[in-house]
Amino acid sequence: QVRLVESGGGLVQPGGSLRLSCVASGIDVSPYALNWYRQTPGNKRELVASIGGDESNYYEDFVGGRFILSRANAKKMVSLHMNSLKEEDTATYSCHIPMDSGPVWGQGTQVTVSS
């Protein structure tokens, strides 16, 4: 069974930084894109960033150069370094693998940006 477990969320002041991590089990992640999404209550889940199996990165426009996505296939891990956080970044962040058999989601980790 494939599982994703996120960690690293928490409360941070505007302008601060957090590092989110997602560790997979039950799968060799190396061929897959690894994605981070976020969702706020009442809103649709939105893509934040994606890193391909070739380590090519994609970031949504709202990231604005503030986040860095990286992967470590040997550790089955994807990390999202978030800098210059804004209150509007407050959300539940989830990692995602688009497997051929269907998408796999983690349970999410809450990020709250507030003074």
Side-chain angles (χ1 to χ4, degrees), residues 7-61:
S7 62
L11 173 64
V12 63
Q13 292 186 342
S17 299
L18 281 175
R19 177 178 180 267
L20 306 185
S21 296
C22 174
V23 177
S25 59
I27 185 176
D28 173 11
V29 301
S30 55
Y32 297 100
L34 302 174
N35 307 319
W36 282 96
Y37 283 77
R38 69 185 188 183
Q39 187 174 26
T40 53
N43 292 310
K44 292 177 60 175
R45 191 155 38 192
E46 62 178 353
L47 178 66
V48 176
S50 176
I51 183 167
D54 61 356
E55 300 199 21
S56 58
N57 284 355
Y58 169 82
Y59 300 94
E60 286 291 324
D61 288 344

mmCIF file of all heavy atoms in Angstrom, residues 7-61:
data_model
loop_
_atom_site.group_PDB
_atom_site.id
_atom_site.type_symbol
_atom_site.label_atom_id
_atom_site.label_comp_id
_atom_site.label_asym_id
_atom_site.label_seq_id
_atom_site.Cartn_x
_atom_site.Cartn_y
_atom_site.Cartn_z
ATOM 1 N N SER A 7 4.906 16.409 7.039
ATOM 2 C CA SER A 7 5.274 16.997 8.320
ATOM 3 C C SER A 7 5.853 18.384 8.077
ATOM 4 O O SER A 7 6.155 18.746 6.928
ATOM 5 C CB SER A 7 6.287 16.113 9.058
ATOM 6 O OG SER A 7 7.480 16.003 8.295
ATOM 7 N N GLY A 8 6.002 19.136 9.164
ATOM 8 C CA GLY A 8 6.675 20.432 9.066
ATOM 9 C C GLY A 8 5.772 21.643 9.116
ATOM 10 O O GLY A 8 6.260 22.775 9.141
ATOM 11 N N GLY A 9 4.468 21.433 9.126
ATOM 12 C CA GLY A 9 3.579 22.577 9.222
ATOM 13 C C GLY A 9 3.622 23.205 10.603
ATOM 14 O O GLY A 9 4.249 22.686 11.519
ATOM 15 N N GLY A 10 2.953 24.344 10.734
ATOM 16 C CA GLY A 10 2.900 25.007 12.024
ATOM 17 C C GLY A 10 2.481 26.451 11.881
ATOM 18 O O GLY A 10 2.005 26.879 10.824
ATOM 19 N N LEU A 11 2.665 27.190 12.964
ATOM 20 C CA LEU A 11 2.326 28.612 13.012
ATOM 21 C C LEU A 11 3.598 29.431 12.817
ATOM 22 O O LEU A 11 4.609 29.188 13.506
ATOM 23 C CB LEU A 11 1.685 28.947 14.361
ATOM 24 C CG LEU A 11 1.416 30.420 14.655
ATOM 25 C CD1 LEU A 11 0.386 30.986 13.674
ATOM 26 C CD2 LEU A 11 0.940 30.589 16.093
ATOM 27 N N VAL A 12 3.542 30.381 11.907
ATOM 28 C CA VAL A 12 4.706 31.218 11.623
ATOM 29 C C VAL A 12 4.230 32.638 11.371
ATOM 30 O O VAL A 12 3.118 32.849 10.880
ATOM 31 C CB VAL A 12 5.494 30.658 10.421
ATOM 32 C CG1 VAL A 12 4.665 30.684 9.148
ATOM 33 C CG2 VAL A 12 6.814 31.372 10.236
ATOM 34 N N GLN A 13 5.049 33.598 11.702
ATOM 35 C CA GLN A 13 4.700 34.997 11.465
ATOM 36 C C GLN A 13 4.916 35.352 10.000
ATOM 37 O O GLN A 13 5.734 34.719 9.306
ATOM 38 C CB GLN A 13 5.550 35.907 12.340
ATOM 39 C CG GLN A 13 5.256 35.792 13.812
ATOM 40 C CD GLN A 13 6.016 36.815 14.641
ATOM 41 O OE1 GLN A 13 7.002 37.392 14.189
ATOM 42 N NE2 GLN A 13 5.553 37.057 15.853
ATOM 43 N N PRO A 14 4.214 36.351 9.510
ATOM 44 C CA PRO A 14 4.451 36.814 8.138
ATOM 45 C C PRO A 14 5.924 37.138 7.927
ATOM 46 O O PRO A 14 6.566 37.734 8.784
ATOM 47 C CB PRO A 14 3.579 38.057 8.040
ATOM 48 C CG PRO A 14 2.471 37.811 9.013
ATOM 49 C CD PRO A 14 3.104 37.081 10.160
ATOM 50 N N GLY A 15 6.436 36.725 6.776
ATOM 51 C CA GLY A 15 7.850 36.893 6.489
ATOM 52 C C GLY A 15 8.711 35.733 6.924
ATOM 53 O O GLY A 15 9.898 35.667 6.564
ATOM 54 N N GLY A 16 8.141 34.819 7.686
ATOM 55 C CA GLY A 16 8.897 33.684 8.184
ATOM 56 C C GLY A 16 9.013 32.554 7.177
ATOM 57 O O GLY A 16 8.561 32.665 6.023
ATOM 58 N N SER A 17 9.614 31.465 7.625
ATOM 59 C CA SER A 17 9.882 30.322 6.756
ATOM 60 C C SER A 17 9.442 29.025 7.416
ATOM 61 O O SER A 17 9.422 28.917 8.650
ATOM 62 C CB SER A 17 11.386 30.234 6.449
ATOM 63 O OG SER A 17 11.850 31.394 5.784
ATOM 64 N N LEU A 18 9.099 28.064 6.582
ATOM 65 C CA LEU A 18 8.812 26.711 7.028
ATOM 66 C C LEU A 18 9.343 25.741 5.979
ATOM 67 O O LEU A 18 9.428 26.071 4.795
ATOM 68 C CB LEU A 18 7.308 26.478 7.175
ATOM 69 C CG LEU A 18 6.601 27.017 8.423
ATOM 70 C CD1 LEU A 18 5.102 26.776 8.301
ATOM 71 C CD2 LEU A 18 7.140 26.362 9.680
ATOM 72 N N ARG A 19 9.652 24.550 6.446
ATOM 73 C CA ARG A 19 10.063 23.488 5.531
ATOM 74 C C ARG A 19 9.108 22.320 5.702
ATOM 75 O O ARG A 19 9.062 21.696 6.767
ATOM 76 C CB ARG A 19 11.495 23.040 5.814
ATOM 77 C CG ARG A 19 11.977 21.882 4.942
ATOM 78 C CD ARG A 19 13.433 21.554 5.261
ATOM 79 N NE ARG A 19 13.958 20.448 4.470
ATOM 80 C CZ ARG A 19 13.952 19.176 4.875
ATOM 81 N NH1 ARG A 19 13.443 18.863 6.050
ATOM 82 N NH2 ARG A 19 14.453 18.233 4.105
ATOM 83 N N LEU A 20 8.363 22.036 4.662
ATOM 84 C CA LEU A 20 7.451 20.897 4.669
ATOM 85 C C LEU A 20 8.156 19.691 4.044
ATOM 86 O O LEU A 20 8.879 19.839 3.061
ATOM 87 C CB LEU A 20 6.189 21.204 3.878
ATOM 88 C CG LEU A 20 5.412 22.457 4.266
ATOM 89 C CD1 LEU A 20 4.119 22.542 3.446
ATOM 90 C CD2 LEU A 20 5.109 22.491 5.743
ATOM 91 N N SER A 21 7.897 18.524 4.614
ATOM 92 C CA SER A 21 8.446 17.291 4.069
ATOM 93 C C SER A 21 7.328 16.287 3.853
ATOM 94 O O SER A 21 6.335 16.280 4.590
ATOM 95 C CB SER A 21 9.493 16.698 5.008
ATOM 96 O OG SER A 21 10.612 17.542 5.138
ATOM 97 N N CYS A 22 7.523 15.452 2.869
ATOM 98 C CA CYS A 22 6.579 14.372 2.585
ATOM 99 C C CYS A 22 7.393 13.122 2.311
ATOM 100 O O CYS A 22 8.262 13.127 1.432
ATOM 101 C CB CYS A 22 5.720 14.731 1.386
ATOM 102 S SG CYS A 22 4.634 13.405 0.820
ATOM 103 N N VAL A 23 7.108 12.076 3.068
ATOM 104 C CA VAL A 23 7.820 10.815 2.912
ATOM 105 C C VAL A 23 6.846 9.753 2.423
ATOM 106 O O VAL A 23 5.748 9.602 2.977
ATOM 107 C CB VAL A 23 8.469 10.374 4.228
ATOM 108 C CG1 VAL A 23 9.153 9.022 4.055
ATOM 109 C CG2 VAL A 23 9.478 11.409 4.699
ATOM 110 N N ALA A 24 7.266 9.037 1.394
ATOM 111 C CA ALA A 24 6.440 7.985 0.822
ATOM 112 C C ALA A 24 6.874 6.625 1.338
ATOM 113 O O ALA A 24 8.038 6.420 1.701
ATOM 114 C CB ALA A 24 6.540 8.016 -0.697
ATOM 115 N N SER A 25 5.946 5.696 1.345
ATOM 116 C CA SER A 25 6.250 4.300 1.632
ATOM 117 C C SER A 25 5.449 3.434 0.678
ATOM 118 O O SER A 25 4.405 3.837 0.168
ATOM 119 C CB SER A 25 5.923 3.942 3.086
ATOM 120 O OG SER A 25 4.556 4.171 3.362
ATOM 121 N N GLY A 26 5.997 2.257 0.406
ATOM 122 C CA GLY A 26 5.306 1.330 -0.477
ATOM 123 C C GLY A 26 5.475 1.616 -1.945
ATOM 124 O O GLY A 26 4.749 1.047 -2.772
ATOM 125 N N ILE A 27 6.450 2.445 -2.295
ATOM 126 C CA ILE A 27 6.612 2.840 -3.686
ATOM 127 C C ILE A 27 8.032 3.352 -3.925
ATOM 128 O O ILE A 27 8.643 3.938 -3.029
ATOM 129 C CB ILE A 27 5.608 3.956 -4.065
ATOM 130 C CG1 ILE A 27 5.665 4.300 -5.549
ATOM 131 C CG2 ILE A 27 5.811 5.186 -3.206
ATOM 132 C CD1 ILE A 27 4.632 5.322 -5.979
ATOM 133 N N ASP A 28 8.547 3.104 -5.113
ATOM 134 C CA ASP A 28 9.753 3.768 -5.585
ATOM 135 C C ASP A 28 9.300 5.052 -6.263
ATOM 136 O O ASP A 28 8.668 5.012 -7.328
ATOM 137 C CB ASP A 28 10.491 2.863 -6.576
ATOM 138 C CG ASP A 28 11.664 3.556 -7.229
ATOM 139 O OD1 ASP A 28 12.045 4.663 -6.780
ATOM 140 O OD2 ASP A 28 12.215 2.999 -8.204
ATOM 141 N N VAL A 29 9.609 6.209 -5.670
ATOM 142 C CA VAL A 29 9.069 7.479 -6.176
ATOM 143 C C VAL A 29 9.831 8.005 -7.391
ATOM 144 O O VAL A 29 9.360 8.932 -8.051
ATOM 145 C CB VAL A 29 9.071 8.565 -5.073
ATOM 146 C CG1 VAL A 29 8.232 8.118 -3.890
ATOM 147 C CG2 VAL A 29 10.493 8.914 -4.642
ATOM 148 N N SER A 30 10.972 7.430 -7.705
ATOM 149 C CA SER A 30 11.862 8.047 -8.698
ATOM 150 C C SER A 30 11.219 8.286 -10.066
ATOM 151 O O SER A 30 11.537 9.281 -10.716
ATOM 152 C CB SER A 30 13.150 7.242 -8.841
ATOM 153 O OG SER A 30 12.873 5.898 -9.151
ATOM 154 N N PRO A 31 10.309 7.444 -10.560
ATOM 155 C CA PRO A 31 9.754 7.738 -11.891
ATOM 156 C C PRO A 31 8.645 8.791 -11.903
ATOM 157 O O PRO A 31 8.249 9.256 -12.968
ATOM 158 C CB PRO A 31 9.138 6.397 -12.328
ATOM 159 C CG PRO A 31 9.528 5.406 -11.314
ATOM 160 C CD PRO A 31 9.863 6.148 -10.081
ATOM 161 N N TYR A 32 8.167 9.176 -10.741
ATOM 162 C CA TYR A 32 6.953 9.968 -10.654
ATOM 163 C C TYR A 32 7.203 11.440 -10.374
ATOM 164 O O TYR A 32 8.151 11.804 -9.684
ATOM 165 C CB TYR A 32 6.041 9.431 -9.543
ATOM 166 C CG TYR A 32 5.554 8.035 -9.774
ATOM 167 C CD1 TYR A 32 6.162 6.960 -9.145
ATOM 168 C CD2 TYR A 32 4.475 7.779 -10.625
ATOM 169 C CE1 TYR A 32 5.720 5.666 -9.354
ATOM 170 C CE2 TYR A 32 4.025 6.498 -10.839
ATOM 171 C CZ TYR A 32 4.653 5.442 -10.198
ATOM 172 O OH TYR A 32 4.203 4.164 -10.405
ATOM 173 N N ALA A 33 6.298 12.266 -10.909
ATOM 174 C CA ALA A 33 6.233 13.638 -10.442
ATOM 175 C C ALA A 33 5.726 13.642 -8.999
ATOM 176 O O ALA A 33 4.892 12.816 -8.625
ATOM 177 C CB ALA A 33 5.287 14.461 -11.316
ATOM 178 N N LEU A 34 6.245 14.559 -8.209
ATOM 179 C CA LEU A 34 5.817 14.714 -6.823
ATOM 180 C C LEU A 34 5.292 16.130 -6.671
ATOM 181 O O LEU A 34 5.985 17.098 -7.037
ATOM 182 C CB LEU A 34 6.981 14.468 -5.861
ATOM 183 C CG LEU A 34 7.643 13.093 -5.981
ATOM 184 C CD1 LEU A 34 8.875 13.020 -5.077
ATOM 185 C CD2 LEU A 34 6.669 11.984 -5.636
ATOM 186 N N ASN A 35 4.105 16.247 -6.160
ATOM 187 C CA ASN A 35 3.411 17.535 -6.164
ATOM 188 C C ASN A 35 3.010 17.962 -4.762
ATOM 189 O O ASN A 35 2.731 17.120 -3.909
ATOM 190 C CB ASN A 35 2.143 17.436 -7.016
ATOM 191 C CG ASN A 35 2.411 16.900 -8.402
ATOM 192 O OD1 ASN A 35 3.402 17.255 -9.039
ATOM 193 N ND2 ASN A 35 1.544 16.020 -8.877
ATOM 194 N N TRP A 36 2.953 19.261 -4.561
ATOM 195 C CA TRP A 36 2.369 19.847 -3.353
ATOM 196 C C TRP A 36 1.145 20.657 -3.764
ATOM 197 O O TRP A 36 1.210 21.474 -4.685
ATOM 198 C CB TRP A 36 3.351 20.757 -2.631
ATOM 199 C CG TRP A 36 4.363 20.032 -1.824
ATOM 200 C CD1 TRP A 36 5.621 19.696 -2.198
ATOM 201 C CD2 TRP A 36 4.203 19.544 -0.487
ATOM 202 N NE1 TRP A 36 6.264 19.024 -1.181
ATOM 203 C CE2 TRP A 36 5.422 18.926 -0.109
ATOM 204 C CE3 TRP A 36 3.152 19.580 0.442
ATOM 205 C CZ2 TRP A 36 5.608 18.344 1.134
ATOM 206 C CZ3 TRP A 36 3.349 18.994 1.680
ATOM 207 C CH2 TRP A 36 4.560 18.385 2.017
ATOM 208 N N TYR A 37 0.047 20.408 -3.060
ATOM 209 C CA TYR A 37 -1.182 21.162 -3.217
ATOM 210 C C TYR A 37 -1.512 21.834 -1.889
ATOM 211 O O TYR A 37 -0.976 21.469 -0.849
ATOM 212 C CB TYR A 37 -2.352 20.236 -3.596
ATOM 213 C CG TYR A 37 -2.383 19.793 -5.033
ATOM 214 C CD1 TYR A 37 -1.527 18.803 -5.499
ATOM 215 C CD2 TYR A 37 -3.289 20.347 -5.935
ATOM 216 C CE1 TYR A 37 -1.564 18.394 -6.819
ATOM 217 C CE2 TYR A 37 -3.338 19.938 -7.265
ATOM 218 C CZ TYR A 37 -2.469 18.957 -7.693
ATOM 219 O OH TYR A 37 -2.519 18.543 -9.006
ATOM 220 N N ARG A 38 -2.422 22.792 -1.951
ATOM 221 C CA ARG A 38 -2.917 23.393 -0.715
ATOM 222 C C ARG A 38 -4.405 23.672 -0.849
ATOM 223 O O ARG A 38 -4.928 23.822 -1.957
ATOM 224 C CB ARG A 38 -2.159 24.671 -0.369
ATOM 225 C CG ARG A 38 -2.418 25.847 -1.293
ATOM 226 C CD ARG A 38 -1.517 27.015 -0.902
ATOM 227 N NE ARG A 38 -1.855 28.233 -1.635
ATOM 228 C CZ ARG A 38 -1.177 29.381 -1.525
ATOM 229 N NH1 ARG A 38 -0.123 29.451 -0.700
ATOM 230 N NH2 ARG A 38 -1.542 30.433 -2.206
ATOM 231 N N GLN A 39 -5.039 23.736 0.310
ATOM 232 C CA GLN A 39 -6.484 23.961 0.322
ATOM 233 C C GLN A 39 -6.870 24.726 1.566
ATOM 234 O O GLN A 39 -6.362 24.450 2.661
ATOM 235 C CB GLN A 39 -7.234 22.628 0.279
ATOM 236 C CG GLN A 39 -8.735 22.765 0.126
ATOM 237 C CD GLN A 39 -9.418 21.426 -0.069
ATOM 238 O OE1 GLN A 39 -8.921 20.383 0.364
ATOM 239 N NE2 GLN A 39 -10.569 21.421 -0.727
ATOM 240 N N THR A 40 -7.786 25.680 1.391
ATOM 241 C CA THR A 40 -8.367 26.394 2.520
ATOM 242 C C THR A 40 -9.845 26.031 2.593
ATOM 243 O O THR A 40 -10.440 25.623 1.584
ATOM 244 C CB THR A 40 -8.203 27.906 2.360
ATOM 245 O OG1 THR A 40 -8.729 28.305 1.087
ATOM 246 C CG2 THR A 40 -6.733 28.299 2.420
ATOM 247 N N PRO A 41 -10.444 26.156 3.766
ATOM 248 C CA PRO A 41 -11.865 25.773 3.925
ATOM 249 C C PRO A 41 -12.759 26.479 2.909
ATOM 250 O O PRO A 41 -12.657 27.694 2.716
ATOM 251 C CB PRO A 41 -12.186 26.201 5.356
ATOM 252 C CG PRO A 41 -10.879 26.128 6.064
ATOM 253 C CD PRO A 41 -9.858 26.570 5.055
ATOM 254 N N GLY A 42 -13.587 25.718 2.245
ATOM 255 C CA GLY A 42 -14.535 26.278 1.290
ATOM 256 C C GLY A 42 -13.977 26.505 -0.090
ATOM 257 O O GLY A 42 -14.704 26.959 -0.984
ATOM 258 N N ASN A 43 -12.708 26.203 -0.279
ATOM 259 C CA ASN A 43 -12.068 26.430 -1.578
ATOM 260 C C ASN A 43 -11.553 25.129 -2.169
ATOM 261 O O ASN A 43 -11.335 24.148 -1.455
ATOM 262 C CB ASN A 43 -10.920 27.425 -1.437
ATOM 263 C CG ASN A 43 -11.399 28.813 -1.103
ATOM 264 O OD1 ASN A 43 -12.288 29.356 -1.754
ATOM 265 N ND2 ASN A 43 -10.822 29.385 -0.066
ATOM 266 N N LYS A 44 -11.348 25.152 -3.481
ATOM 267 C CA LYS A 44 -10.796 23.986 -4.145
ATOM 268 C C LYS A 44 -9.318 23.846 -3.822
ATOM 269 O O LYS A 44 -8.619 24.823 -3.557
ATOM 270 C CB LYS A 44 -10.971 24.124 -5.659
ATOM 271 C CG LYS A 44 -12.406 24.049 -6.140
ATOM 272 C CD LYS A 44 -12.488 24.265 -7.636
ATOM 273 C CE LYS A 44 -11.714 23.230 -8.412
ATOM 274 N NZ LYS A 44 -11.892 23.382 -9.877
ATOM 275 N N ARG A 45 -8.861 22.599 -3.871
ATOM 276 C CA ARG A 45 -7.442 22.356 -3.699
ATOM 277 C C ARG A 45 -6.705 22.922 -4.914
ATOM 278 O O ARG A 45 -7.161 22.762 -6.058
ATOM 279 C CB ARG A 45 -7.213 20.851 -3.570
ATOM 280 C CG ARG A 45 -5.852 20.448 -3.136
ATOM 281 C CD ARG A 45 -5.853 19.089 -2.448
ATOM 282 N NE ARG A 45 -6.749 18.125 -3.034
ATOM 283 C CZ ARG A 45 -7.072 16.960 -2.459
ATOM 284 N NH1 ARG A 45 -6.567 16.660 -1.278
ATOM 285 N NH2 ARG A 45 -7.875 16.119 -3.064
ATOM 286 N N GLU A 46 -5.573 23.578 -4.679
ATOM 287 C CA GLU A 46 -4.820 24.169 -5.780
ATOM 288 C C GLU A 46 -3.374 23.689 -5.746
ATOM 289 O O GLU A 46 -2.789 23.474 -4.681
ATOM 290 C CB GLU A 46 -4.852 25.707 -5.722
ATOM 291 C CG GLU A 46 -4.234 26.327 -4.502
ATOM 292 C CD GLU A 46 -4.255 27.841 -4.518
ATOM 293 O OE1 GLU A 46 -4.644 28.442 -5.540
ATOM 294 O OE2 GLU A 46 -3.849 28.442 -3.498
ATOM 295 N N LEU A 47 -2.822 23.539 -6.930
ATOM 296 C CA LEU A 47 -1.433 23.127 -7.052
ATOM 297 C C LEU A 47 -0.526 24.261 -6.579
ATOM 298 O O LEU A 47 -0.776 25.432 -6.865
ATOM 299 C CB LEU A 47 -1.119 22.780 -8.509
ATOM 300 C CG LEU A 47 0.301 22.370 -8.825
ATOM 301 C CD1 LEU A 47 0.654 21.041 -8.143
ATOM 302 C CD2 LEU A 47 0.513 22.260 -10.330
ATOM 303 N N VAL A 48 0.510 23.891 -5.840
ATOM 304 C CA VAL A 48 1.526 24.852 -5.409
ATOM 305 C C VAL A 48 2.783 24.702 -6.265
ATOM 306 O O VAL A 48 3.280 25.662 -6.843
ATOM 307 C CB VAL A 48 1.882 24.655 -3.924
ATOM 308 C CG1 VAL A 48 3.005 25.601 -3.508
ATOM 309 C CG2 VAL A 48 0.650 24.836 -3.047
ATOM 310 N N ALA A 49 3.277 23.469 -6.334
ATOM 311 C CA ALA A 49 4.525 23.209 -7.050
ATOM 312 C C ALA A 49 4.610 21.740 -7.396
ATOM 313 O O ALA A 49 3.984 20.897 -6.738
ATOM 314 C CB ALA A 49 5.723 23.625 -6.207
ATOM 315 N N SER A 50 5.410 21.443 -8.417
ATOM 316 C CA SER A 50 5.580 20.070 -8.872
ATOM 317 C C SER A 50 7.031 19.868 -9.269
ATOM 318 O O SER A 50 7.660 20.771 -9.844
ATOM 319 C CB SER A 50 4.665 19.819 -10.073
ATOM 320 O OG SER A 50 4.870 18.532 -10.607
ATOM 321 N N ILE A 51 7.550 18.669 -8.965
ATOM 322 C CA ILE A 51 8.904 18.328 -9.396
ATOM 323 C C ILE A 51 8.831 17.000 -10.122
ATOM 324 O O ILE A 51 8.319 16.009 -9.593
ATOM 325 C CB ILE A 51 9.894 18.306 -8.216
ATOM 326 C CG1 ILE A 51 11.311 18.010 -8.710
ATOM 327 C CG2 ILE A 51 9.461 17.345 -7.116
ATOM 328 C CD1 ILE A 51 12.384 18.286 -7.655
ATOM 329 N N GLY A 52 9.350 16.985 -11.363
ATOM 330 C CA GLY A 52 9.274 15.793 -12.180
ATOM 331 C C GLY A 52 10.306 14.760 -11.796
ATOM 332 O O GLY A 52 11.213 15.012 -10.989
ATOM 333 N N GLY A 53 10.156 13.588 -12.416
ATOM 334 C CA GLY A 53 11.149 12.552 -12.196
ATOM 335 C C GLY A 53 12.540 12.964 -12.660
ATOM 336 O O GLY A 53 13.547 12.472 -12.142
ATOM 337 N N ASP A 54 12.581 13.910 -13.607
ATOM 338 C CA ASP A 54 13.862 14.449 -14.079
ATOM 339 C C ASP A 54 14.306 15.660 -13.271
ATOM 340 O O ASP A 54 15.218 16.377 -13.673
ATOM 341 C CB ASP A 54 13.744 14.828 -15.559
ATOM 342 C CG ASP A 54 12.680 15.896 -15.807
ATOM 343 O OD1 ASP A 54 11.987 16.290 -14.829
ATOM 344 O OD2 ASP A 54 12.504 16.321 -16.956
ATOM 345 N N GLU A 55 13.592 15.917 -12.159
ATOM 346 C CA GLU A 55 13.867 17.023 -11.232
ATOM 347 C C GLU A 55 13.597 18.393 -11.848
ATOM 348 O O GLU A 55 14.064 19.408 -11.317
ATOM 349 C CB GLU A 55 15.278 16.949 -10.663
ATOM 350 C CG GLU A 55 15.531 15.670 -9.894
ATOM 351 C CD GLU A 55 16.711 15.730 -8.946
ATOM 352 O OE1 GLU A 55 17.123 16.831 -8.569
ATOM 353 O OE2 GLU A 55 17.226 14.664 -8.590
ATOM 354 N N SER A 56 12.833 18.431 -12.913
ATOM 355 C CA SER A 56 12.390 19.722 -13.433
ATOM 356 C C SER A 56 11.297 20.259 -12.514
ATOM 357 O O SER A 56 10.426 19.509 -12.069
ATOM 358 C CB SER A 56 11.842 19.564 -14.847
ATOM 359 O OG SER A 56 10.781 18.634 -14.866
ATOM 360 N N ASN A 57 11.332 21.543 -12.213
ATOM 361 C CA ASN A 57 10.397 22.143 -11.267
ATOM 362 C C ASN A 57 9.365 23.010 -11.967
ATOM 363 O O ASN A 57 9.648 23.646 -12.988
ATOM 364 C CB ASN A 57 11.146 23.025 -10.262
ATOM 365 C CG ASN A 57 11.866 22.214 -9.210
ATOM 366 O OD1 ASN A 57 11.739 21.003 -9.164
ATOM 367 N ND2 ASN A 57 12.630 22.882 -8.384
ATOM 368 N N TYR A 58 8.184 23.031 -11.373
ATOM 369 C CA TYR A 58 7.133 23.942 -11.816
ATOM 370 C C TYR A 58 6.537 24.576 -10.572
ATOM 371 O O TYR A 58 6.278 23.892 -9.577
ATOM 372 C CB TYR A 58 6.049 23.189 -12.588
ATOM 373 C CG TYR A 58 4.833 24.040 -12.840
ATOM 374 C CD1 TYR A 58 4.799 24.939 -13.895
ATOM 375 C CD2 TYR A 58 3.722 23.966 -11.993
ATOM 376 C CE1 TYR A 58 3.689 25.739 -14.113
ATOM 377 C CE2 TYR A 58 2.615 24.764 -12.207
ATOM 378 C CZ TYR A 58 2.607 25.648 -13.265
ATOM 379 O OH TYR A 58 1.509 26.445 -13.473
ATOM 380 N N TYR A 59 6.326 25.878 -10.639
ATOM 381 C CA TYR A 59 5.712 26.612 -9.538
ATOM 382 C C TYR A 59 4.542 27.434 -10.059
ATOM 383 O O TYR A 59 4.631 28.037 -11.135
ATOM 384 C CB TYR A 59 6.721 27.562 -8.880
ATOM 385 C CG TYR A 59 7.934 26.887 -8.307
ATOM 386 C CD1 TYR A 59 9.105 26.760 -9.041
ATOM 387 C CD2 TYR A 59 7.912 26.376 -7.001
ATOM 388 C CE1 TYR A 59 10.228 26.146 -8.510
ATOM 389 C CE2 TYR A 59 9.043 25.753 -6.462
ATOM 390 C CZ TYR A 59 10.188 25.647 -7.222
ATOM 391 O OH TYR A 59 11.286 25.029 -6.694
ATOM 392 N N GLU A 60 3.474 27.462 -9.300
ATOM 393 C CA GLU A 60 2.373 28.343 -9.642
ATOM 394 C C GLU A 60 2.815 29.805 -9.472
ATOM 395 O O GLU A 60 3.730 30.117 -8.702
ATOM 396 C CB GLU A 60 1.167 28.057 -8.748
ATOM 397 C CG GLU A 60 0.448 26.771 -9.090
ATOM 398 C CD GLU A 60 -0.267 26.824 -10.418
ATOM 399 O OE1 GLU A 60 -0.812 27.887 -10.777
ATOM 400 O OE2 GLU A 60 -0.277 25.787 -11.122
ATOM 401 N N ASP A 61 2.142 30.675 -10.195
ATOM 402 C CA ASP A 61 2.544 32.085 -10.209
ATOM 403 C C ASP A 61 2.555 32.720 -8.822
ATOM 404 O O ASP A 61 3.410 33.575 -8.521
ATOM 405 C CB ASP A 61 1.632 32.892 -11.131
ATOM 406 C CG ASP A 61 1.879 32.588 -12.600
ATOM 407 O OD1 ASP A 61 2.928 31.996 -12.917
ATOM 408 O OD2 ASP A 61 1.010 32.944 -13.427
#
